[in-house]
Amino acid sequence: ADWVQLNHVNKVYSNGTVALQDVSLHIKENEFISFVGPSGCGKSTVFKLIAGLTEATDGDIRIMGMSPAHARKQSEMAFVFQDHTLLPWCSVEDNVMLPLSLRGMPKKQRLEEAARVLELVGLKDYKKALPRMLSGGMKMRVSIARALASRPKLLLMDEPFGALDEITRQTLQQELLDIWQREKGMTVLFVTHNVFEAVFLSTRVMVMTPRPGKIAEEISIPFAFP
Ligand code: ADP
Ligand code: ADP
């Protein structure tokens, strides 16, 4: 079964902008899908629709067989953005545990889960550090750890490495691939305007074009993992 399904989705914003026209998507378990295209082609709109943050004007969207809003409530999805929204006065560990606290997970279990994901991103020695003591790349690793802590089926990443220098970006790309292979089954949806990044990371690349936003081309990368 498809984990993410968009059938003939149109999105017209209330000011009349046609952001997406006839977008269909079928995404399965364990895929790594990138969305590439110029500014305004509708990449963020696709993400907002999948996240349940805005409604489609026409068409049908199913996430794990549920409406996006329902899938969101069930914590099937987690998000990573470029401007990692870490709480500055909370330790790395507390930042990672926060979504688990909100879901009422007992403290012992939260600490175990934080240890697991901080190990996964190579930050187990930094659990007591404050975000401002960390480099940009390390803050991004904390954001990724926080997203993984809720064991999402879908990891949505919107230009996560856009603000990092080239060396850090390449390191994190490789780390993300390793994490994706270890978190068996998880599907990653990744927005970037960097074609090289998309091809390096993905099993499939969705090439989008603007005015109106649509998927112009879909490219399977034959030599990609897994
Ligand atoms: P919807 O049609 O889904 O209800 P709205 O048109 O009400 O969405 O806009 C949602 C939010 O996005 C508003 O706060 C609005 O200010 C903001 N917004 C408006 N135009 C743009 C734009 N071109 N790009 C990004 N955000 C915008
Ligand atoms: P991308 O992420 O590829 O830059 P977006 O999905 O943000 O593209 O935007 C697609 C189109 O929809 C653009 O023309 C943008 O200005 C417009 N848009 C995005 N959000 C809103 C909004 N809330 N209200 C009105 N127009 C919007």
Side-chain angles (χ1 to χ4, degrees), residues 167-202:
I167 301 290
T168 308
R169 171 190 274 260
Q170 285 176 19
T171 308
L172 273 152
Q173 286 170 351
Q174 189 57 59
E175 288 176 14
L176 177 59
L177 281 182
D178 294 341
I179 289 168
W180 170 59
Q181 290 191 293
R182 288 172 64 175
E183 297 286 270
K184 294 201 184 326
M186 181 173 73
T187 285
V188 182
L189 305 184
F190 192 96
V191 163
T192 180
H193 57 254
N194 184 326
V195 178
F196 297 105
E197 180 166 78
V199 171
F200 176 70
L201 289 172
S202 312

Side-chain angles (χ1 to χ4, degrees), residues 43-182:
K43 304 183 294 291
S44 305
T45 299
V46 168
F47 266 40
K48 282 192 269 181
L49 288 166
I50 291 173
L53 298 175
T54 189
E55 296 235 338
T57 310
D58 299 288
D60 182 50
I61 304 176
R62 296 271 120 192
I63 312 294
M64 309 290 158
M66 298 173 241
S67 70
H70 192 195
R72 191 182 170 82
K73 281 200 206 87
Q74 301 281 313
S75 304
E76 304 281 23
M77 297 182 260
F79 305 88
V80 175
F81 303 101
Q82 186 180 111
D83 50 354
H84 28 69
T85 47
L86 302 176
L87 299 178
W89 59 89
C90 290
S91 69
V92 162
E93 185 178 55
D94 285 340
N95 268 285
V96 168
M97 292 194 299
L98 182 67
L100 306 178
S101 315
L102 296 175
R103 282 163 52 196
M105 185 185 281
K107 178 132 194 210
K108 180 164 177 290
Q109 219 178 321
R110 288 203 309 264
L111 287 166
E112 282 169 13
E113 195 55 33
R116 182 186 82 87
V117 293
L118 287 173
E119 164 96 56
L120 208 51
V121 301
L123 287 181
K124 68 174 160 49
D125 296 333
Y126 291 84
K127 63 183 183 185
K128 298 296 178 201
L130 291 174
R132 69 178 151 76
M133 300 157 74
L134 306 178
S135 68
M138 288 160 89
K139 279 188 259 197
M140 180 49 65
R141 289 184 183 92
V142 178
S143 299
I144 293 171
R146 184 180 54 186
L148 295 173
S150 53
R151 304 203 181 212
K153 293 202 169 72
L154 293 178
L155 180 62
L156 281 79
M157 308 183 84
D158 194 351
E159 294 269 3
F161 307 151
L164 302 174
D165 65 83
E166 191 52 32
I167 301 290
T168 308
R169 171 190 274 260
Q170 285 176 19
T171 308
L172 273 152
Q173 286 170 351
Q174 189 57 59
E175 288 176 14
L176 177 59
L177 281 182
D178 294 341
I179 289 168
W180 170 59
Q181 290 191 293
R182 288 172 64 175

Side-chain angles (χ1 to χ4, degrees), residues 11-15 17 48 53-55:
K11 175 64 185 178
V12 185
Y13 283 106
S14 43
N15 67 355
T17 305
K48 282 192 269 181
L53 298 175
T54 189
E55 296 235 338

